[in-house]
């Protein structure tokens, strides 16, 4: 067993500088043991192997200090798990490559068969036992003009959306008659319907989606004429049904745009709609009646009509992109700033600062008089009146081009179709690009306030729900994404971070545990689960009150200790929830109580919940053009670039429909 020569032993285990003599002896002993063990070969053949200090020391520790070795292994494993946990990230919802609804070719052959009544069985005379002939047997079968033209359907097909094809077949199975044809030619009802289809652009739709050509019946007779009129009949009904589908639910399915959209798609009853149109005195009015009838949609429609009458080539003042001007400084863009205020400022503002405007001679200095002018303009446009000319002030000064306004209004009309037809008399409407939340109820003055919404990396979803609970002195249940993305990196450096920072960690069963005792990689990898919540108090992220409308996005309205953010014009700073500038007022409004009542409940210092009575929907929406309280359309910056993605979806729809 002593196959290694002493020189090899000495060479392999020279005592390193500073190594205690006893350590060297341990290493030499361990090396000898290890060499002895590893040198045993097959059938007694000796296999001499060289041994490193690390191998020797590791063997020595495992043989003579197993507990210490085990602790070191556990520590190394924990360090590895910690590093792995830090690398885990919860991804935000993503934007998709939009897949539009597609037309399909549908055969109409199954509508070509004439369904006649079944012939009754012969009756028997009670006295003679002889069969008698019923009146039904002797009556001739009378075919309607539609029945006479049915054979033309045997080889006919149409290109239509699946819902339209299904609805068309169902309608003609139940109502086997012409709607648009009489005496072999298109009717006045057909002309009215064609007017409605041609006017689709008035409602923000694309009229080319519903084009149907009148049939040229010159010189046609018999089967040829039947084919022409039946083709027109089917195409008209398909076009009208497509119009109704688009008018009621929109041309785009929002949930295919991104994971930030969560809106159930409406399912119009196309058969019932066609039945109503077929019997209507005015087909155009009946068809257009399927457009949204809400006040906000009508305001958008009126704005669209007005914009289209305006000169598309009107002069527009341009302030150079990137301009940032503080009081007391100078800029060559000063002249454009003054010119923009002259053009877009109110008459009252221009009268108040008439002397400044008249005396200005295109100078570059940002004088105190011009600062006062800019502050007044900022104030009347709802901006921070700080006199600093930045991107938000510039946007207000130069305005939005007419073309851009038209686009924003058309997109707003499309988005409004994703919402319920009736929003409700009592509701909360949050518009993310406007950074506002507004409560309305019959007989009450609207309550509108500034809000903070999600930053671009933590966007607030577009959805609607129903308000259920107001919570006083709330806990903050930390979402899994924040635990993984933000807390675990801190816990890797300081395992007791949560224990010292006012958070409670509990197991799924509700048992309180120390944050230092948790395997956070297992939590990050979803192999185990814990609950983390912040205790109520001044430092609580939710402040003193939150308003819950339970949803799968974990979004709600709440107070915040970060009050300074409400002074900013662009207020996208949260993790996705809605921070309210005046949360007590909003809580009082939805509860139907006073603000003092809410303050009293908060002042009790206890975490408590109060159920919200009635049915109060909340719309967490996204509109870059929307009516204000006076019914006039306001325009907002596209904070999340969602206009761009919706435009892409509409373009994909145009392409799919040909």
């Amino acid at each position: 067993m002593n196959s290694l020569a002493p020189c090899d032993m000495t060479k392999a285990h020279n005592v390193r500088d500073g190594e205690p003599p006893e350590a060297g002896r341990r290493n030499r002993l361990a090396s000898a043991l290890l060499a002895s063990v590893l040198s045993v070969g097959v059938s007694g053949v000796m296999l001499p192997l060289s041994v490193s200090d690390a191998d020797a020391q590791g063997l020595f520790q495992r043989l003579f200090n197993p507990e210490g070795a085990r602790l070191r292994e556990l520590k190394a494993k924990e360090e590895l798990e910690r590093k792995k946990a830090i690398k885990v990230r919860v991804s935000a919802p993503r934007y998709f490559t939009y897949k539009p609804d597609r037309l399909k070719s549908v055969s109409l052959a199954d509508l070509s068969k004439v369904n006649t009544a079944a012939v009754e069985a012969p009756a028997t005379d009670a006295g003679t036992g002889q069969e008698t002939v019923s009146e039904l047997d002797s009556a001739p079968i009378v075919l309607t003009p539609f029945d006479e033209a049915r054979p033309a359907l045997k080889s006919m097909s149409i290109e239509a959306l699946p819902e339209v094809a299904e609805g068309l077949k169902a309608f003609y199975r139940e109502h086997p008659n012409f709607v648009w044809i009489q005496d072999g030619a298109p009717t006045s009802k057909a002309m009215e319907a064609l007017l409605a289809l041609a006017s689709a652009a008035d409602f923000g739709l694309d009229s080319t989606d519903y084009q149907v050509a009148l049939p040229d019946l010159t010189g046609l007779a018999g089967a040829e004429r039947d084919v022409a009129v039946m083709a027109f009949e089917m195409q008209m009904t398909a076009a009208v049904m497509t119009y109704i589908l688009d008018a009621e639910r929109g041309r785009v399915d929002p949930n295919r745009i991104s994971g930030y959209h969560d809106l159930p798609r409406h399912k119009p009853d196309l058969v019932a709609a066609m039945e109503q149109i077929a019997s209507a005195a005015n087909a155009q009015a009946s068809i257009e009646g399927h457009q949204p009838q809400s006040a906000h949609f009508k305001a958008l429609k009126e704005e669209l009509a007005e914009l289209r009458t305006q000169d598309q080539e009107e002069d527009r003042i341009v302030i150079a992109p990137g301009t940032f001007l503080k009081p007391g400084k100078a800029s060559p863009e000063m002249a454009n700033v003054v010119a923009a205020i002259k053009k877009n400022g109110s008459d009252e503002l221009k009268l108040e600062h008439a002397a400044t405007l008249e005396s200005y001679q295109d100078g570059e200095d940002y004088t105190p008089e011009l600062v006062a002018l800019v502050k007044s303009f900022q104030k009347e446009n709802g901006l921070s009146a700080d006199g600093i000319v930045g991107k938000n002030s510039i946007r207000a000064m130069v305005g939005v081009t007419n073309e851009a306004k038209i686009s924003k209004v058309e997109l707003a009309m499309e988005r409004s179709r994703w919402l319920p037809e009736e929003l409700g008399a009592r509701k909360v409407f949050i518009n993310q690009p406007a950074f506002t939340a507004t409560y309305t109820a019959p007989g009450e003055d609207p309550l509108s306030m500034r809000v903070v919404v999600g930053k671009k990396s933590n966007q607030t979803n577009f959805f609607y729900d129903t308000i259920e609970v107001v919570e006083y002195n709330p806990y903050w249940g930390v979402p899994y994404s924040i635990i993984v993305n933000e807390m675990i990196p801190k816990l890797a450096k300081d395992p007791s971070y949560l224990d010292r920072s006012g958070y409670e960690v509990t197991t799924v069963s509700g048992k309180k545990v120390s944050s230092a005792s948790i395997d956070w990689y297992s939590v990050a990898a979803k192999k185990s689960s814990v609950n983390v919540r912040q205790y109520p108090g001044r430092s609580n992220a939710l402040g003193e009150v939150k308003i819950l409308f339970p949803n799968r996005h974990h979004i709600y309205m709440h107070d915040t200790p970060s009050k300074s953010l409400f002074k900013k014009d662009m207020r996208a700073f949260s993790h996705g929830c809605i921070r309210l500038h005046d949360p007590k007022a909003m809580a009082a409004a939805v509860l139907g109580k006073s603000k003092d009542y809410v303050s009293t409940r908060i002042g009790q210092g206890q975490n408590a919940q109060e159920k919200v009575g009635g049915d109060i929907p909340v719309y967490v929406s996204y509109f870059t053009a929307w009516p204000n309280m006076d019914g006039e359309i306001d325009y907002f910056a596209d904070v999340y670039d969602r206009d761009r993605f919706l435009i892409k979806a509409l373009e994909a729809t145009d392409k799919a429909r040909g």
Side-chain angles (χ1 to χ4, degrees):
M1 296 291 290
N2 298 322
S3 59
L4 289 179
C7 61
D8 294 328
M9 295 279 288
T10 304
K11 184 177 180 181
H13 296 283
N14 285 332
V15 177
R16 291 186 291 270
D17 292 342
E19 183 183 59
E22 62 272 18
R25 287 194 295 274
R26 271 201 313 271
N27 288 347
R28 287 194 293 276
L29 175 60
S31 179
L33 286 170
L34 182 61
S36 298
V37 171
L38 295 179
S39 65
V40 178
V42 180
S43 302
V45 178
M46 310 307 285
L47 302 174
L49 299 172
S50 62
V51 183
S52 69
D53 286 352
D55 292 336
Q57 181 68 12
L59 176 63
F60 186 88
Q61 292 292 347
R62 287 192 293 274
L63 290 174
F64 300 105
N65 188 14
E67 183 62 23
R70 188 180 70 83
L71 289 174
R72 276 188 295 277
E73 288 176 358
L74 285 174
K75 188 175 181 181
K77 183 179 179 182
E78 288 174 0
E79 181 62 25
L80 178 62
E81 296 294 290
R82 188 177 293 113
K83 289 179 179 178
K84 289 164 68 177
I86 294 173
K87 292 180 181 179
V88 176
R89 285 290 180 269
V90 178
S91 299
R94 63 187 181 88
Y95 285 86
F96 312 130
T97 299
Y98 187 77
K99 296 181 179 179
D101 297 318
R102 296 192 175 277
L103 306 178
K104 69 174 185 178
S105 181
V106 181
S107 171
L108 301 178
D110 53 342
L111 293 177
S112 64
K113 184 179 179 182
V114 178
N115 295 319
T116 58
V119 178
E120 291 185 2
T124 303
D125 184 273
T128 64
Q130 300 294 317
E131 291 184 351
T132 62
V133 179
S134 69
E135 292 183 6
L136 182 62
D137 291 330
S138 60
I141 297 174
V142 179
L143 297 180
T144 66
F146 185 85
D147 288 331
E148 291 175 347
R150 273 180 187 263
L153 292 168
K154 191 168 185 179
S155 59
M156 191 176 294
S157 62
I158 60 168
E159 293 282 322
L161 295 172
E163 300 94 330
V164 170
E166 182 181 340
L168 181 145
K169 287 188 174 185
F171 175 75
Y172 284 106
R173 279 195 296 266
E174 296 176 23
H175 308 281
N177 289 295
F178 283 117
V179 176
W180 316 110
I181 296 292
Q182 187 173 4
D183 299 329
T187 64
S188 59
K189 183 182 288 291
M191 299 301 106
E192 292 168 354
L194 286 171
L195 284 175
L197 300 179
S199 302
D202 294 347
F203 298 89
L205 296 177
D206 187 345
S207 58
T208 61
D209 285 346
Y210 324 107
Q211 286 182 338
V212 179
L214 284 169
D216 183 0
L217 304 177
T218 306
L220 298 182
E224 287 185 339
R225 192 178 185 90
D226 289 345
V227 169
V229 297
M230 189 60 85
F232 177 75
E233 174 76 17
M234 295 296 135
Q235 289 166 9
M236 276 294 295
T237 299
V240 169
M241 284 186 169
T242 304
Y243 179 102
I244 292 166
L245 206 61
D246 291 349
E248 293 194 17
R249 76 177 189 182
R251 298 175 72 226
V252 163
D253 181 349
N255 303 312
R256 298 181 207 164
I257 297 176
S258 80
Y260 292 109
H261 293 79
D262 184 12
L263 298 153
R265 205 170 191 196
H266 305 318
K267 297 179 180 179
D269 187 335
L270 298 180
V271 174
M274 271 302 301
E275 289 172 345
Q276 185 262 331
I277 292 167
S279 61
N282 186 316
Q284 181 176 2
S286 180
I287 292 169
E288 292 180 349
H290 288 275
Q291 294 287 352
Q293 301 299 306
S294 58
H296 63 261
F297 189 87
K298 290 178 179 178
L300 290 166
K301 178 178 179 293
E302 290 175 6
E303 177 80 352
L304 183 61
E306 176 64 26
L307 291 171
R308 286 175 173 162
T309 65
Q310 294 177 11
D311 184 4
Q312 300 296 311
E313 302 299 326
E314 60 182 344
D315 292 335
R316 181 171 181 249
I317 296 165
V318 176
I319 299 175
T323 297
F324 188 78
L325 183 56
K326 289 186 175 182
K329 301 296 183 180
S331 169
E333 294 301 316
M334 195 71 246
N336 289 328
V337 169
V338 175
I341 293 176
K342 279 184 179 179
K343 181 180 177 183
N344 297 317
S346 67
D347 292 338
E348 293 79 2
L349 180 145
K350 286 183 277 190
L351 180 61
E352 180 185 352
H353 297 275
T356 299
L357 293 169
E358 289 174 8
S359 62
Y360 178 68
Q361 298 295 323
D362 293 341
E364 295 186 2
D365 292 337
Y366 192 15
T367 65
E369 293 78 14
L370 293 175
V371 172
L373 172 67
V374 168
K375 285 184 176 181
S376 293
F377 182 85
Q378 290 173 327
K379 185 176 181 180
E380 76 173 17
N381 282 275
L383 303 172
S384 299
D386 53 13
I388 298 174
V389 181
K391 66 177 183 179
N392 291 320
S393 294
I394 290 172
R395 182 176 177 276
M397 289 172 183
V398 301
V400 184
T401 65
N402 200 62
E403 182 182 5
K405 286 181 179 180
I406 288 173
S407 177
K408 285 178 180 289
V409 170
E410 289 176 336
L411 297 180
M413 295 172 84
E414 171 69 19
R415 288 184 174 117
S416 68
R417 294 185 171 98
W418 305 342
L419 299 177
E421 171 67 16
E422 295 294 334
L423 298 184
R426 193 173 176 219
K427 61 183 174 294
V428 175
F429 193 89
I430 298 163
N431 189 9
Q432 298 169 50
F435 303 109
T436 57
T438 304
Y439 168 83
T440 54
E444 299 180 31
D445 291 334
L447 171 67
S448 189
M449 65 186 66
R450 290 186 164 206
V451 301
V452 171
V453 300
K455 51 193 171 184
K456 198 166 184 179
S457 58
N458 297 94
Q459 297 179 23
T460 301
N461 295 69
F462 186 170
F463 70 106
Y464 55 90
D465 214 300
T466 303
I467 297 175
E468 296 184 11
V469 170
V470 170
E471 184 174 349
Y472 308 106
N473 301 305
Y475 285 91
W476 176 39
V478 184
Y480 170 74
S481 60
I482 295 179
I483 292 173
V484 172
N485 294 345
E486 299 181 25
M487 289 184 166
I488 286 181
K490 295 178 181 177
L491 288 163
K493 297 177 182 178
D494 180 4
S496 61
Y497 158 71
L498 293 178
D499 298 330
R500 293 185 295 94
S501 302
Y503 291 89
E504 174 189 84
V505 183
T506 58
T507 63
V508 174
S509 63
K511 180 183 177 182
K512 291 184 181 181
V513 293
S514 167
S515 65
S517 68
I518 300 297
D519 178 355
W520 290 105
Y521 172 70
S522 179
V523 172
K526 291 190 174 181
K527 295 178 181 178
S528 63
S529 181
V530 294
N531 297 315
V532 179
R533 64 177 184 172
Q534 187 181 29
Y535 290 110
R538 287 187 175 183
S539 61
N540 185 282
L542 307 186
E544 297 178 325
V545 63
K546 71 176 177 180
I547 301 170
L548 290 153
F549 35 99
N551 57 85
R552 65 190 184 94
H553 311 294
H554 307 290
I555 289 175
Y556 38 83
M557 296 183 283
H558 65 86
D559 184 17
T560 175
S562 304
K563 306 293 186 183
S564 62
L565 295 178
F566 293 107
K567 296 178 182 179
K568 297 181 178 292
D569 299 323
M570 202 289 293
R571 297 185 292 279
F573 297 104
S574 79
H575 285 93
C577 283
I578 313 298
R579 301 179 190 175
L580 300 170
H581 192 207
D582 193 352
K584 293 180 183 178
M586 185 64 77
V590 300
L591 287 169
K593 303 288 181 68
S594 70
K595 195 171 176 180
D596 287 341
Y597 169 84
V598 173
S599 296
T600 299
R601 292 297 305 270
I602 292 170
Q604 293 172 0
Q606 300 297 315
N607 171 252
Q609 293 188 347
E610 184 168 356
K611 187 174 177 60
V612 174
D615 183 8
I616 306 178
V618 55
Y619 300 92
V620 186
S621 68
Y622 194 94
F623 289 89
T624 53
W626 194 252
N628 58 29
M629 294 298 178
D630 298 323
E632 297 178 352
I633 306 300
D634 288 335
Y635 297 90
F636 311 102
D638 184 13
V639 62
Y640 296 146
D641 291 332
R642 289 184 186 169
D643 280 1
R644 180 164 59 89
F645 286 99
L646 177 51
I647 289 170
K648 285 185 177 181
L650 289 166
E651 289 173 347
T653 300
D654 291 339
K655 186 176 180 180
R657 294 188 181 187

